[in-house]
């Protein structure tokens, strides 16, 4: 097989140099989805590294979803998917959390989702409208567990992103939305009017989108997410355990 890479040379951080070289080749479309890389032995020779270094680099690339290693067949460039893009960020957010993360997440949504709702009002299709109405109707009649209601809630928001007509928007908000069911479930348990408030604001957002009123859709989403922030703050306050030194004896 023709040589695909030049030696990385210097011994420092060799595995990272290998990762960078292969990743750049994928970015520059020198390596296309489905293409098989050279064998491990050939790659070691091309990069001038040991098999240990190469395998560490391949492990990192596989973890990022950029390649797949098929035993007995070889190393192949992966076809990127929405999960490939969103899952690493979702995992990062899960691992770097704490209560403050909840507020960070809702504030990120406040920056991102109102303009998306406005775009959805301008660009939704009949299929989008049907899906959003079905999502809203399902929320209204839901009487099961809080986790199920939270999933319906986030499906509504994800479908608004799809209705925006911008293929980047669903990818952008998917990892943030993936964290919300757990948060929303806790909010519904702690805040009595959280469910009714969500349904009320979702109804207003849906109505403004279907009327193709972009400014109203933006404004209603802003109000909805501010109310969500208030509910998260109430939930966090309710979960705090009093400091014994603050209790009168």
């Amino acid at each position: 097989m023709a040589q695909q890479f030049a030696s990385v040379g210097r011994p420092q951080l060799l595995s990272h140099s290998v990762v960078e070289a292969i990743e750049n080749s994928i970015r520059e479309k020198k390596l296309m989805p489905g293409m098989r890389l050279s064998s491990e032995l050939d790659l070691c020779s091309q990069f001038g590294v040991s098999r240990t270094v190469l395998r560490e680099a391949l492990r990192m690339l596989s973890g990022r979803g950029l390649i797949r290693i098929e035993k007995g067949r070889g190393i192949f460039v992966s076809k990127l998917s929405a999960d490939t893009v969103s899952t690493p960020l979702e995992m990062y957010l899960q691992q770097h959390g704490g209560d403050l993360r909840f507020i960070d997440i809702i504030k990120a949504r406040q920056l991102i989702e109102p303009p998306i709702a406005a775009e959805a009002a301008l660009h939704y299709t009949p299929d989008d409208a049907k899906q959003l109405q079905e999502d809203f109707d399902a929320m209204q009649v839901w009487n099961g567990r809080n986790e199920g209601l939270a999933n319906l809630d986030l499906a509504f928001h994800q479908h608004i992103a799809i209705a925006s007509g911008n293929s980047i928007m669903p990818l952008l908000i998917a990892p943030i939305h993936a964290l919300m069911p757990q948060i929303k479930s806790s909010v519904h348990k702690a805040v009595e009017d959280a469910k009714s408030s969500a349904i009320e604001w979702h109804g207003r957002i849906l109505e403004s989108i279907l009327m193709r009123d972009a400014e109203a859709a933006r404004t209603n989403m802003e109000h909805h997410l501010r109310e969500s922030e208030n509910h998260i703050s109430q939930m966090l306050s309710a979960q705090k355990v009093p400091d014994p030194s603050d209790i009168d004896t």
Side-chain angles (χ1 to χ4, degrees), residues 55-72:
R55 287 183 173 175
E56 173 62 16
L58 296 178
R59 185 191 65 79
M60 289 190 283
L61 289 163
S62 177
R64 295 183 189 179
L66 295 176
I67 65 169
R68 67 181 190 277
I69 302 171
E70 299 184 12
K71 189 174 182 179

Side-chain angles (χ1 to χ4, degrees), residues 172-188:
L172 183 64
I173 65 174
I176 298 175
H177 280 173
L179 303 176
M180 288 302 300
Q182 175 189 357
I183 300 172
K184 283 184 170 291
S185 179
S186 298
V187 166
H188 289 317

Side-chain angles (χ1 to χ4, degrees), residues 88-97 101 105 175-176 179:
L89 178 55
E90 176 191 344
M91 292 178 64
Y92 175 86
L93 292 173
Q94 287 177 331
Q95 293 175 3
H96 296 75
R101 183 195 73 196
I105 289 171
I176 298 175
L179 303 176

Side-chain angles (χ1 to χ4, degrees), residues 109 135 138-140 142-159 176-189 194-195 198-199 202 224 228:
R109 293 184 64 196
D135 292 339
M139 284 188 62
Q140 286 186 298
W142 181 260
N143 60 3
R145 294 171 60 87
N146 288 324
E147 292 84 353
L149 179 61
N151 285 324
L152 290 173
D153 185 321
L154 270 298
F156 178 79
H157 284 270
Q158 188 71 15
H159 289 138
I176 298 175
H177 280 173
L179 303 176
M180 288 302 300
Q182 175 189 357
I183 300 172
K184 283 184 170 291
S185 179
S186 298
V187 166
H188 289 317
K189 291 176 183 177
K195 178 180 177 181
I199 290 175
H202 284 182
H224 167 49
S228 294

